[in-house]
Amino acid sequence: MVHYHEVGLKGKNRAHFERILMDSIKAACAAFSISCVTRISGHILVTFSRAEDVSSAFEVIRKVPGVARVSLAYHTNREPDEYGRAAIRALSEAGVFETFKVSAKRSNTDYPLTSMDLNRQVGEVLCEAFPDKKVKMRDPDVTVNVLVVQGSVYVYARSERGVGGLPVGSAGKVVTLLSSGIDSPVATWMLARRGAVCVPVHFSGRPQTADTSEYLCQDIIAALAPAIQIGRLYVVPFGDCQREISLACPSDLRVIMYRRVMYAVAERIAKIEGAKAIVTGESLGQVASQTLENIMAVNEVVDIPVFRPLIGSDKQEIIARAEAIGTYEISCETAPDCCTLFMPRKPETHAKLDAVHAAWDLFDHEAMIEHLVDAVEYIDFESGSYKPPRMLRERHDELAPRG
Ligand code: ATP
Ligand code: MG
């Protein structure tokens, strides 16, 4: 039984949200024997035809954005013996506990017993089955929930928090700048958790470097699945252009030039995709390119909003999140990407806009951006929420897929 936060989800909004959440859960559980996903009285009920799938599916569903809590529920009819037995089973699976209570609710039912009657009835059964445990109304270790909906009774005790947020697809589309480093996978995950369909764009150092970082990006996408399904990874072979920039521009401004080109290309891909923002993993002051001056010097090349969900996070917090979402180990594998290529010994940390503009005019940036957009490649993955843009679909054979 999946619980979600209903705050702010009223009227039409709510039905829309529930539909997307149900689709995400179905997609995330495609490997399991789902028999049905339905709404019951403010919850989503996911049923399986093979009992042995339930515990693995439970862990997957917890990670699906929009899921506030998941409970392992038993479904019975309205026979007191039946739901009493389910309550004993549910409580015995709830882990170590000393105290418990029963919390019954009725919804949309003609069942003659009131919630109070049910609490008492099931409470007695449990007291008999667990004679050394105590009933405690306030703050018990475990609550056994009994939910009567029409002709059915659902009983659950084991319940774990989910990742929360909003279901992917409920908040539009964003392009995320994905390196194989620690930060940007976390930034991508955060936007997905707020309901955005994320379309990652990776700048590879190819052909000046190997393509290892491209495979790491694919591994990162695989690690986020099946709870978060990214449908397409764009890869921009950037090495030759970086070389051109490094030859044309003062070395201390190279990084800013690379990044301006990256942002501009990302904005073009966002337009093609119908994405309304760019997302990066920048964290204030973390490295030379992430000072306020440098962020400003890069940001000015684009018109759409740039989101930096990690701007105020410490590295340790970001690492903890990367571990929790399963991307940390992949990000620790070193691979040369465009960040390691043609790096100056002393990058500018407080770029002056005049100098930046002068350097920007030292190479034909318009032609370079155009060329990179034309050279973009992509790799598609299984995803229920991503819809590819028509414009590129027509060029599919020409552009994709590599590898
Ligand atoms: P990360 O850990 O995400 O690589 P970082 O600490 O290495 O970040 P930078 O190299 O300054 O920091 O990159 C800042 C942001 O720019 C990254 O979080 C990412 O969003 C984007 N970025 C950096 N390199 C690439 C790349 N090769 N391809 C796509 N985006 C990139
Ligand atoms: Mg990096």
Side-chain angles (χ1 to χ4, degrees), residues 175 201 203 234 261-275 278 301-304 365-374 376 391-392 395:
V175 155
V201 178
F203 288 80
Y234 285 97
V261 173
M262 284 165 60
Y263 270 49
V265 172
E267 185 181 46
R268 291 281 301 274
I269 294 174
K271 290 221 169 94
I272 292 169
E273 279 283 346
I278 295 171
V301 298
V302 295
D303 292 324
I304 61 175
H365 54 261
E366 286 300 336
M368 182 181 285
I369 292 161
E370 200 65 42
H371 161 76
L372 287 169
V373 172
D374 273 344
V376 73
M391 200 170 144
L392 275 185
R395 289 180 52 201

mmCIF file of all heavy atoms in Angstrom, residues 175 201 203 234 261-275 278 301-304 365-374 376 391-392 395:
data_model
loop_
_atom_site.group_PDB
_atom_site.id
_atom_site.type_symbol
_atom_site.label_atom_id
_atom_site.label_comp_id
_atom_site.label_asym_id
_atom_site.label_seq_id
_atom_site.Cartn_x
_atom_site.Cartn_y
_atom_site.Cartn_z
ATOM 1 N N VAL A 175 16.806 19.764 -18.872
ATOM 2 C CA VAL A 175 18.057 19.192 -19.360
ATOM 3 C C VAL A 175 19.041 19.254 -18.205
ATOM 4 O O VAL A 175 19.159 20.283 -17.544
ATOM 5 C CB VAL A 175 18.562 20.000 -20.582
ATOM 6 C CG1 VAL A 175 20.063 19.866 -20.743
ATOM 7 C CG2 VAL A 175 17.857 19.525 -21.843
ATOM 8 N N VAL A 201 22.694 15.593 -20.500
ATOM 9 C CA VAL A 201 23.607 15.865 -21.607
ATOM 10 C C VAL A 201 25.018 15.732 -21.053
ATOM 11 O O VAL A 201 25.357 16.374 -20.055
ATOM 12 C CB VAL A 201 23.403 17.298 -22.158
ATOM 13 C CG1 VAL A 201 24.399 17.580 -23.285
ATOM 14 C CG2 VAL A 201 21.974 17.485 -22.654
ATOM 15 N N PHE A 203 29.155 15.939 -21.837
ATOM 16 C CA PHE A 203 30.209 16.382 -22.740
ATOM 17 C C PHE A 203 31.416 15.481 -22.546
ATOM 18 O O PHE A 203 31.963 15.390 -21.448
ATOM 19 C CB PHE A 203 30.559 17.849 -22.476
ATOM 20 C CG PHE A 203 29.484 18.778 -22.945
ATOM 21 C CD1 PHE A 203 28.339 18.991 -22.186
ATOM 22 C CD2 PHE A 203 29.582 19.416 -24.179
ATOM 23 C CE1 PHE A 203 27.321 19.826 -22.634
ATOM 24 C CE2 PHE A 203 28.574 20.249 -24.641
ATOM 25 C CZ PHE A 203 27.445 20.457 -23.863
ATOM 26 N N TYR A 234 22.144 12.355 -23.968
ATOM 27 C CA TYR A 234 22.820 12.991 -25.093
ATOM 28 C C TYR A 234 24.310 13.044 -24.792
ATOM 29 O O TYR A 234 24.703 13.333 -23.655
ATOM 30 C CB TYR A 234 22.315 14.420 -25.309
ATOM 31 C CG TYR A 234 20.941 14.477 -25.952
ATOM 32 C CD1 TYR A 234 19.799 14.631 -25.180
ATOM 33 C CD2 TYR A 234 20.805 14.364 -27.330
ATOM 34 C CE1 TYR A 234 18.541 14.678 -25.768
ATOM 35 C CE2 TYR A 234 19.553 14.412 -27.929
ATOM 36 C CZ TYR A 234 18.426 14.565 -27.148
ATOM 37 O OH TYR A 234 17.190 14.605 -27.732
ATOM 38 N N VAL A 261 30.297 27.353 -23.716
ATOM 39 C CA VAL A 261 29.881 26.550 -24.869
ATOM 40 C C VAL A 261 28.953 25.418 -24.411
ATOM 41 O O VAL A 261 27.906 25.157 -25.021
ATOM 42 C CB VAL A 261 31.110 25.994 -25.632
ATOM 43 C CG1 VAL A 261 30.664 25.023 -26.728
ATOM 44 C CG2 VAL A 261 31.937 27.136 -26.222
ATOM 45 N N MET A 262 29.318 24.779 -23.301
ATOM 46 C CA MET A 262 28.466 23.689 -22.787
ATOM 47 C C MET A 262 27.055 24.176 -22.479
ATOM 48 O O MET A 262 26.064 23.533 -22.848
ATOM 49 C CB MET A 262 29.090 23.091 -21.508
ATOM 50 C CG MET A 262 30.264 22.188 -21.781
ATOM 51 S SD MET A 262 31.269 21.845 -20.289
ATOM 52 C CE MET A 262 30.088 21.087 -19.233
ATOM 53 N N TYR A 263 26.961 25.298 -21.793
ATOM 54 C CA TYR A 263 25.637 25.845 -21.465
ATOM 55 C C TYR A 263 24.846 26.167 -22.743
ATOM 56 O O TYR A 263 23.653 25.889 -22.833
ATOM 57 C CB TYR A 263 25.789 27.131 -20.653
ATOM 58 C CG TYR A 263 25.851 26.975 -19.149
ATOM 59 C CD1 TYR A 263 26.702 26.057 -18.547
ATOM 60 C CD2 TYR A 263 25.066 27.777 -18.326
ATOM 61 C CE1 TYR A 263 26.768 25.951 -17.158
ATOM 62 C CE2 TYR A 263 25.128 27.672 -16.941
ATOM 63 C CZ TYR A 263 25.983 26.762 -16.368
ATOM 64 O OH TYR A 263 26.042 26.667 -15.003
ATOM 65 N N ALA A 264 25.534 26.782 -23.711
ATOM 66 C CA ALA A 264 24.837 27.183 -24.937
ATOM 67 C C ALA A 264 24.312 25.958 -25.688
ATOM 68 O O ALA A 264 23.180 25.957 -26.188
ATOM 69 C CB ALA A 264 25.774 28.005 -25.825
ATOM 70 N N VAL A 265 25.136 24.903 -25.737
ATOM 71 C CA VAL A 265 24.692 23.679 -26.422
ATOM 72 C C VAL A 265 23.534 23.046 -25.642
ATOM 73 O O VAL A 265 22.539 22.599 -26.225
ATOM 74 C CB VAL A 265 25.874 22.685 -26.595
ATOM 75 C CG1 VAL A 265 25.386 21.339 -27.120
ATOM 76 C CG2 VAL A 265 26.936 23.280 -27.527
ATOM 77 N N ALA A 266 23.657 23.047 -24.323
ATOM 78 C CA ALA A 266 22.580 22.475 -23.491
ATOM 79 C C ALA A 266 21.271 23.239 -23.716
ATOM 80 O O ALA A 266 20.195 22.644 -23.779
ATOM 81 C CB ALA A 266 22.968 22.512 -22.019
ATOM 82 N N GLU A 267 21.375 24.554 -23.858
ATOM 83 C CA GLU A 267 20.161 25.335 -24.088
ATOM 84 C C GLU A 267 19.528 24.972 -25.434
ATOM 85 O O GLU A 267 18.303 24.861 -25.561
ATOM 86 C CB GLU A 267 20.460 26.840 -24.042
ATOM 87 C CG GLU A 267 19.202 27.679 -24.164
ATOM 88 C CD GLU A 267 19.480 29.175 -24.147
ATOM 89 O OE1 GLU A 267 20.404 29.610 -24.867
ATOM 90 O OE2 GLU A 267 18.790 29.900 -23.414
ATOM 91 N N ARG A 268 20.379 24.753 -26.428
ATOM 92 C CA ARG A 268 19.850 24.354 -27.746
ATOM 93 C C ARG A 268 19.165 22.990 -27.655
ATOM 94 O O ARG A 268 18.095 22.777 -28.241
ATOM 95 C CB ARG A 268 20.986 24.327 -28.771
ATOM 96 C CG ARG A 268 21.544 25.710 -29.121
ATOM 97 C CD ARG A 268 20.629 26.436 -30.105
ATOM 98 N NE ARG A 268 20.491 25.666 -31.332
ATOM 99 C CZ ARG A 268 21.324 25.719 -32.374
ATOM 100 N NH1 ARG A 268 22.331 26.577 -32.357
ATOM 101 N NH2 ARG A 268 21.132 24.968 -33.428
ATOM 102 N N ILE A 269 19.773 22.069 -26.925
ATOM 103 C CA ILE A 269 19.146 20.742 -26.773
ATOM 104 C C ILE A 269 17.832 20.882 -25.989
ATOM 105 O O ILE A 269 16.832 20.231 -26.305
ATOM 106 C CB ILE A 269 20.120 19.753 -26.099
ATOM 107 C CG1 ILE A 269 21.307 19.493 -27.037
ATOM 108 C CG2 ILE A 269 19.417 18.428 -25.752
ATOM 109 C CD1 ILE A 269 22.419 18.647 -26.441
ATOM 110 N N ALA A 270 17.846 21.769 -25.000
ATOM 111 C CA ALA A 270 16.610 22.001 -24.228
ATOM 112 C C ALA A 270 15.494 22.477 -25.155
ATOM 113 O O ALA A 270 14.347 22.045 -25.045
ATOM 114 C CB ALA A 270 16.865 23.016 -23.119
ATOM 115 N N LYS A 271 15.828 23.355 -26.109
ATOM 116 C CA LYS A 271 14.806 23.851 -27.042
ATOM 117 C C LYS A 271 14.260 22.706 -27.886
ATOM 118 O O LYS A 271 13.058 22.588 -28.077
ATOM 119 C CB LYS A 271 15.394 24.935 -27.954
ATOM 120 C CG LYS A 271 15.673 26.213 -27.193
ATOM 121 C CD LYS A 271 15.286 27.477 -27.969
ATOM 122 C CE LYS A 271 15.335 28.690 -27.053
ATOM 123 N NZ LYS A 271 16.644 29.382 -27.113
ATOM 124 N N ILE A 272 15.174 21.871 -28.382
ATOM 125 C CA ILE A 272 14.746 20.725 -29.198
ATOM 126 C C ILE A 272 13.844 19.805 -28.384
ATOM 127 O O ILE A 272 12.836 19.293 -28.868
ATOM 128 C CB ILE A 272 15.990 19.934 -29.694
ATOM 129 C CG1 ILE A 272 16.775 20.778 -30.704
ATOM 130 C CG2 ILE A 272 15.576 18.597 -30.309
ATOM 131 C CD1 ILE A 272 18.145 20.215 -31.044
ATOM 132 N N GLU A 273 14.186 19.610 -27.125
ATOM 133 C CA GLU A 273 13.465 18.672 -26.254
ATOM 134 C C GLU A 273 12.196 19.258 -25.647
ATOM 135 O O GLU A 273 11.415 18.544 -25.037
ATOM 136 C CB GLU A 273 14.390 18.235 -25.109
ATOM 137 C CG GLU A 273 15.374 17.137 -25.493
ATOM 138 C CD GLU A 273 14.683 15.781 -25.547
ATOM 139 O OE1 GLU A 273 13.566 15.649 -25.047
ATOM 140 O OE2 GLU A 273 15.279 14.854 -26.118
ATOM 141 N N GLY A 274 12.036 20.581 -25.749
ATOM 142 C CA GLY A 274 10.931 21.204 -25.035
ATOM 143 C C GLY A 274 11.187 21.232 -23.533
ATOM 144 O O GLY A 274 10.251 21.246 -22.728
ATOM 145 N N ALA A 275 12.458 21.246 -23.144
ATOM 146 C CA ALA A 275 12.801 21.335 -21.714
ATOM 147 C C ALA A 275 12.876 22.809 -21.331
ATOM 148 O O ALA A 275 13.291 23.640 -22.137
ATOM 149 C CB ALA A 275 14.132 20.650 -21.450
ATOM 150 N N ILE A 278 17.838 24.296 -17.325
ATOM 151 C CA ILE A 278 19.080 23.515 -17.304
ATOM 152 C C ILE A 278 19.420 23.268 -15.838
ATOM 153 O O ILE A 278 19.210 24.145 -14.997
ATOM 154 C CB ILE A 278 20.221 24.310 -17.993
ATOM 155 C CG1 ILE A 278 19.916 24.503 -19.486
ATOM 156 C CG2 ILE A 278 21.568 23.614 -17.806
ATOM 157 C CD1 ILE A 278 20.884 25.463 -20.188
ATOM 158 N N VAL A 301 25.279 33.356 -20.952
ATOM 159 C CA VAL A 301 25.086 32.934 -22.351
ATOM 160 C C VAL A 301 23.721 32.298 -22.597
ATOM 161 O O VAL A 301 23.344 32.058 -23.737
ATOM 162 C CB VAL A 301 26.176 31.946 -22.873
ATOM 163 C CG1 VAL A 301 27.540 32.589 -22.836
ATOM 164 C CG2 VAL A 301 26.159 30.635 -22.115
ATOM 165 N N VAL A 302 22.972 31.975 -21.530
ATOM 166 C CA VAL A 302 21.666 31.333 -21.767
ATOM 167 C C VAL A 302 20.517 32.191 -21.259
ATOM 168 O O VAL A 302 20.685 33.010 -20.360
ATOM 169 C CB VAL A 302 21.574 29.916 -21.141
ATOM 170 C CG1 VAL A 302 22.544 28.967 -21.807
ATOM 171 C CG2 VAL A 302 21.794 29.958 -19.634
ATOM 172 N N ASP A 303 19.348 31.962 -21.848
ATOM 173 C CA ASP A 303 18.160 32.718 -21.452
ATOM 174 C C ASP A 303 17.234 31.922 -20.550
ATOM 175 O O ASP A 303 16.405 32.482 -19.853
ATOM 176 C CB ASP A 303 17.362 33.133 -22.697
ATOM 177 C CG ASP A 303 18.128 34.159 -23.516
ATOM 178 O OD1 ASP A 303 18.803 35.008 -22.891
ATOM 179 O OD2 ASP A 303 18.079 34.095 -24.755
ATOM 180 N N ILE A 304 17.325 30.595 -20.599
ATOM 181 C CA ILE A 304 16.396 29.817 -19.766
ATOM 182 C C ILE A 304 16.976 29.686 -18.355
ATOM 183 O O ILE A 304 18.175 29.870 -18.148
ATOM 184 C CB ILE A 304 16.065 28.429 -20.379
ATOM 185 C CG1 ILE A 304 17.322 27.566 -20.519
ATOM 186 C CG2 ILE A 304 15.354 28.567 -21.694
ATOM 187 C CD1 ILE A 304 17.019 26.145 -20.998
ATOM 188 N N HIS A 365 32.506 31.242 -31.796
ATOM 189 C CA HIS A 365 31.682 30.442 -30.875
ATOM 190 C C HIS A 365 30.343 30.042 -31.481
ATOM 191 O O HIS A 365 29.849 28.945 -31.243
ATOM 192 C CB HIS A 365 31.511 31.168 -29.532
ATOM 193 C CG HIS A 365 30.976 32.548 -29.641
ATOM 194 N ND1 HIS A 365 31.784 33.659 -29.598
ATOM 195 C CD2 HIS A 365 29.719 32.997 -29.818
ATOM 196 C CE1 HIS A 365 31.034 34.747 -29.724
ATOM 197 N NE2 HIS A 365 29.785 34.368 -29.873
ATOM 198 N N GLU A 366 29.769 30.931 -32.317
ATOM 199 C CA GLU A 366 28.478 30.571 -32.933
ATOM 200 C C GLU A 366 28.611 29.312 -33.787
ATOM 201 O O GLU A 366 27.804 28.392 -33.680
ATOM 202 C CB GLU A 366 27.960 31.721 -33.819
ATOM 203 C CG GLU A 366 27.415 32.919 -33.057
ATOM 204 C CD GLU A 366 26.229 32.554 -32.154
ATOM 205 O OE1 GLU A 366 25.539 31.544 -32.435
ATOM 206 O OE2 GLU A 366 26.022 33.269 -31.147
ATOM 207 N N ALA A 367 29.649 29.308 -34.613
ATOM 208 C CA ALA A 367 29.845 28.153 -35.500
ATOM 209 C C ALA A 367 30.142 26.904 -34.674
ATOM 210 O O ALA A 367 29.674 25.805 -34.998
ATOM 211 C CB ALA A 367 30.995 28.426 -36.472
ATOM 212 N N MET A 368 30.896 27.088 -33.592
ATOM 213 C CA MET A 368 31.239 25.935 -32.756
ATOM 214 C C MET A 368 29.984 25.332 -32.116
ATOM 215 O O MET A 368 29.776 24.113 -32.117
ATOM 216 C CB MET A 368 32.234 26.349 -31.663
ATOM 217 C CG MET A 368 32.672 25.178 -30.804
ATOM 218 S SD MET A 368 33.832 25.659 -29.505
ATOM 219 C CE MET A 368 35.326 25.898 -30.433
ATOM 220 N N ILE A 369 29.114 26.197 -31.609
ATOM 221 C CA ILE A 369 27.886 25.721 -30.958
ATOM 222 C C ILE A 369 27.017 24.982 -31.977
ATOM 223 O O ILE A 369 26.515 23.884 -31.735
ATOM 224 C CB ILE A 369 27.133 26.910 -30.314
ATOM 225 C CG1 ILE A 369 27.957 27.444 -29.121
ATOM 226 C CG2 ILE A 369 25.731 26.527 -29.879
ATOM 227 C CD1 ILE A 369 27.593 28.855 -28.688
ATOM 228 N N GLU A 370 26.907 25.587 -33.155
ATOM 229 C CA GLU A 370 26.132 24.988 -34.243
ATOM 230 C C GLU A 370 26.688 23.597 -34.579
ATOM 231 O O GLU A 370 25.957 22.616 -34.687
ATOM 232 C CB GLU A 370 26.259 25.904 -35.470
ATOM 233 C CG GLU A 370 25.179 25.725 -36.507
ATOM 234 C CD GLU A 370 23.805 26.125 -35.960
ATOM 235 O OE1 GLU A 370 23.713 27.161 -35.259
ATOM 236 O OE2 GLU A 370 22.869 25.378 -36.240
ATOM 237 N N HIS A 371 27.999 23.542 -34.714
ATOM 238 C CA HIS A 371 28.657 22.286 -35.062
ATOM 239 C C HIS A 371 28.400 21.221 -33.987
ATOM 240 O O HIS A 371 28.099 20.065 -34.289
ATOM 241 C CB HIS A 371 30.166 22.522 -35.224
ATOM 242 C CG HIS A 371 30.968 21.269 -35.143
ATOM 243 N ND1 HIS A 371 31.036 20.363 -36.176
ATOM 244 C CD2 HIS A 371 31.698 20.742 -34.117
ATOM 245 C CE1 HIS A 371 31.779 19.340 -35.800
ATOM 246 N NE2 HIS A 371 32.196 19.541 -34.556
ATOM 247 N N LEU A 372 28.492 21.625 -32.707
ATOM 248 C CA LEU A 372 28.305 20.645 -31.625
ATOM 249 C C LEU A 372 26.864 20.137 -31.560
ATOM 250 O O LEU A 372 26.626 18.954 -31.303
ATOM 251 C CB LEU A 372 28.724 21.253 -30.277
ATOM 252 C CG LEU A 372 30.242 21.414 -30.104
ATOM 253 C CD1 LEU A 372 30.544 22.254 -28.872
ATOM 254 C CD2 LEU A 372 30.943 20.060 -30.023
ATOM 255 N N VAL A 373 25.919 21.032 -31.817
ATOM 256 C CA VAL A 373 24.515 20.595 -31.803
ATOM 257 C C VAL A 373 24.299 19.577 -32.930
ATOM 258 O O VAL A 373 23.602 18.577 -32.764
ATOM 259 C CB VAL A 373 23.555 21.798 -31.927
ATOM 260 C CG1 VAL A 373 22.117 21.330 -32.117
ATOM 261 C CG2 VAL A 373 23.665 22.700 -30.706
ATOM 262 N N ASP A 374 24.956 19.830 -34.055
ATOM 263 C CA ASP A 374 24.834 18.889 -35.173
ATOM 264 C C ASP A 374 25.498 17.561 -34.869
ATOM 265 O O ASP A 374 25.090 16.522 -35.380
ATOM 266 C CB ASP A 374 25.495 19.471 -36.427
ATOM 267 C CG ASP A 374 24.513 20.330 -37.195
ATOM 268 O OD1 ASP A 374 23.293 20.200 -36.923
ATOM 269 O OD2 ASP A 374 24.964 21.128 -38.042
ATOM 270 N N VAL A 376 25.739 16.073 -31.996
ATOM 271 C CA VAL A 376 25.267 15.395 -30.785
ATOM 272 C C VAL A 376 24.798 13.964 -31.097
ATOM 273 O O VAL A 376 24.235 13.689 -32.161
ATOM 274 C CB VAL A 376 24.149 16.235 -30.097
ATOM 275 C CG1 VAL A 376 22.863 16.166 -30.869
ATOM 276 C CG2 VAL A 376 23.943 15.792 -28.677
ATOM 277 N N MET A 391 11.255 16.270 -33.799
ATOM 278 C CA MET A 391 12.298 16.854 -34.634
ATOM 279 C C MET A 391 13.537 15.953 -34.764
ATOM 280 O O MET A 391 14.117 15.841 -35.826
ATOM 281 C CB MET A 391 12.704 18.148 -33.947
ATOM 282 C CG MET A 391 13.387 19.119 -34.775
ATOM 283 S SD MET A 391 13.455 20.608 -33.764
ATOM 284 C CE MET A 391 15.036 21.172 -34.285
ATOM 285 N N LEU A 392 13.919 15.333 -33.634
ATOM 286 C CA LEU A 392 15.097 14.477 -33.700
ATOM 287 C C LEU A 392 14.744 13.075 -34.140
ATOM 288 O O LEU A 392 15.571 12.374 -34.692
ATOM 289 C CB LEU A 392 15.781 14.401 -32.336
ATOM 290 C CG LEU A 392 16.772 15.511 -32.017
ATOM 291 C CD1 LEU A 392 17.448 15.221 -30.709
ATOM 292 C CD2 LEU A 392 17.814 15.653 -33.121
ATOM 293 N N ARG A 395 15.587 12.357 -37.459
ATOM 294 C CA ARG A 395 17.012 12.230 -37.766
ATOM 295 C C ARG A 395 17.641 11.058 -37.017
ATOM 296 O O ARG A 395 18.858 10.948 -36.907
ATOM 297 C CB ARG A 395 17.732 13.533 -37.372
ATOM 298 C CG ARG A 395 17.398 14.683 -38.286
ATOM 299 C CD ARG A 395 18.127 15.932 -37.856
ATOM 300 N NE ARG A 395 19.565 15.692 -37.703
ATOM 301 C CZ ARG A 395 20.367 16.460 -36.970
ATOM 302 N NH1 ARG A 395 19.891 17.485 -36.334
ATOM 303 N NH2 ARG A 395 21.646 16.178 -36.888
#
